[in-house]
């Protein structure tokens, strides 16, 4: 009885490392009679570096697909076959691909998650992403609330995409191809709905004053994180902080970060 009671607690969110990963895989894949995969609700493979294989990750996703609600992909071993297996995880709410270093085709990713009605959090791969074939348009998950944009997203993709208005938290991280026009194209469509907006370094296509107009597009922000590298003190001038009718500005948390490059320390003063 004790074993049966404790088993769901052990498997709900397993703590995996390179030392116990193979035993975990064997337990779920080799022994098919036991349905231990159905007990897994959260699967975090961020600590698995060289121990995983595409076949292992693919099989794990299939075994855990019934009740899996949170999945963090590993840095390596997340290729085509795991992406196909991802389709079976219909109850997924949280999908983090931020560590993936392999090229992920955006069209295949959205084909895998288009029927995820419960998905609220999505993080794109930080290293590389292929936007070919996305010009036709695709369908975002209907209840998406958190979106982290990373990798090789193109300006063409941004301008031809219909951005979902359900998003309340938006993050930009390591998007070398996105310029300031693309940033404002997104904010023009969903800026009024955003509560949290965060920028991370580097964003090499942005200029030293590219983010000065943020508050004109996003008046309802509660939290904002800006890089001093891409904004000036005029960001907080009365000219940029347009008056809001019938309510006060809801901003409560302001985070200013700097890359530490020469001249950044004096760009914005108290």
């Amino acid at each position: 009885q004790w074993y049966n009671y404790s088993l769901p607690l052990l498997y709900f969110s397993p703590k995996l490392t390179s030392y116990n990963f193979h035993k975990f895989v064997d337990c779920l894949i080799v022994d098919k009679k036991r349905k231990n995969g159905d007990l897994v609700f959260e699967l975090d493979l961020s600590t698995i570096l060289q121990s995983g294989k595409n076949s292992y990750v693919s099989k794990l996703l299939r075994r855990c697909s019934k009740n899996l609600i949170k999945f963090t992909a590993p840095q390596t071993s997340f290729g085509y076959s795991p992406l196909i297996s991802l389709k079976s995880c219909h109850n997924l709410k949280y999908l983090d691909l931020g560590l993936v270093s392999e090229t992920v085709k955006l069209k295949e990713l959205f084909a895998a998650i288009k029927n995820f009605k419960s998905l609220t959090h999505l993080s794109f791969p930080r290293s590389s992403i292929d936007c070919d074939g996305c010009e036709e348009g695709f369908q975002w998950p209907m209840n998406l609330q958190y979106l982290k944009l990373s990798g090789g997203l193109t300006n063409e993709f941004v301008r031809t995409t219909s951005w979902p208005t359900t998003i309340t938290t938006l993050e930009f991280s390591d998007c070398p191809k996105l310029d300031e026009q693309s940033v404002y194209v997104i904010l023009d469509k969903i800026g009024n709905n955003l509560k949290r907006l965060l920028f991370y370094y580097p964003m090499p296509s942005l200029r030293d004053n590219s983010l000065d107009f943020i508050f004109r597009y996003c008046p309802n922000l509660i939290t904002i994180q800006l890089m001093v590298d891409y904004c000036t003190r005029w960001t907080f001038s009365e000219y940029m902080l347009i008056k809001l009718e019938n309510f006060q500005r809801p901003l409560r948390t302001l985070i200013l970060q700097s890359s530490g490059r020469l001249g950044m320390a004096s760009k914005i003063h108290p």
Side-chain angles (χ1 to χ4, degrees):
Q1 284 183 334
W2 173 252
Y3 178 78
N4 290 330
Y5 280 130
S6 61
L7 208 60
L9 300 176
L10 289 172
Y11 278 91
F12 181 86
S13 180
K15 303 298 184 289
L16 299 176
T17 66
S18 298
Y19 297 102
N20 65 8
F21 179 69
H22 288 295
K23 291 182 179 179
F24 179 75
V25 171
D26 290 341
C27 188
L28 263 63
I29 296 178
V30 177
D31 193 349
K32 297 182 180 180
K33 293 182 180 180
R34 297 183 179 181
K35 299 289 185 179
N36 291 342
D38 293 348
L39 304 176
V40 179
F41 284 75
E42 298 179 359
L43 188 60
D44 184 355
L45 302 183
S46 60
T47 58
I48 310 302
L49 298 178
Q50 302 301 328
S51 303
K53 295 181 180 179
N54 272 297
S55 58
Y56 287 168
V57 177
S58 179
K59 290 177 181 178
L60 277 180
L61 284 172
R62 287 202 298 270
R63 291 285 188 276
C64 303
S65 61
K66 183 177 180 180
N67 294 313
L68 193 66
I69 60 175
K70 184 176 181 179
F71 175 64
T72 303
Q75 182 174 346
T76 58
S77 306
F78 195 83
Y80 181 72
S81 56
L83 206 56
I84 295 299
S85 298
L86 195 64
K87 291 182 179 180
S88 58
C89 305
H90 296 291
N91 296 317
L92 210 61
K93 295 182 179 180
Y94 180 101
L95 177 59
D96 186 355
L97 304 177
L99 296 177
V100 175
S101 58
E102 301 179 28
T103 300
V104 176
K105 290 185 178 294
L106 199 61
K107 189 175 182 179
E108 294 174 357
L109 172 61
F110 274 86
I113 67 175
K114 66 178 181 180
N115 294 320
F116 286 9
K117 296 181 180 179
S118 301
L119 191 69
T120 59
H121 287 62
L122 175 62
S123 296
F124 280 8
R126 65 179 179 180
S127 297
S128 57
I129 198 164
D130 185 357
C131 297
D132 291 343
C134 293
E135 293 78 8
E136 307 166 0
F138 50 81
Q139 186 176 358
W140 292 84
M142 62 176 63
N143 292 312
L144 196 63
Q145 298 174 18
Y146 169 97
L147 178 62
K148 186 173 184 178
L149 299 177
S150 299
L153 295 172
T154 62
N155 295 316
E156 290 74 21
F157 165 77
V158 167
R159 291 161 189 166
T160 56
T161 298
S162 178
W163 295 88
T165 56
T166 53
I167 296 175
T168 57
T169 299
L170 180 64
E171 298 186 14
F172 291 87
S173 175
D174 296 314
C175 300
K177 297 181 180 179
L178 294 189
D179 57 22
E180 64 179 273
Q181 289 186 346
S182 293
V183 171
Y184 288 122
V185 164
I186 300 174
L187 298 183
D188 183 51
K189 296 179 179 179
I190 65 174
N192 282 332
N193 304 315
L194 293 181
K195 305 297 182 185
R196 300 179 75 249
L197 177 62
L198 295 91
F199 290 88
Y200 295 90
Y201 186 86
M203 295 281 289
S205 292
L206 297 185
R207 298 179 298 172
D208 63 347
N209 63 345
S210 291
L211 302 183
D212 281 3
F213 296 89
I214 286 297
F215 291 111
R216 283 184 165 269
Y217 288 83
C218 308
N220 299 311
L221 290 176
I222 297 175
T223 300
I224 186 169
Q225 174 173 300
L226 293 173
M227 295 301 305
V228 178
D229 303 60
Y230 310 127
C231 65
T232 67
R233 62 191 179 93
W234 298 110
T235 307
F236 308 100
S237 67
E238 292 184 5
Y239 173 72
M240 297 298 185
L241 295 170
I242 56 176
K243 187 176 180 180
L244 303 178
E245 298 294 335
N246 301 323
F247 69 97
Q248 293 183 338
R249 192 173 303 281
L251 191 68
R252 292 294 177 268
T253 304
L254 171 63
I255 305 169
L256 291 177
Q257 292 197 346
S258 171
S259 65
R261 291 188 299 136
L262 189 64
M264 294 300 108
S266 58
K267 279 191 71 177
I268 297 180
H269 54 71

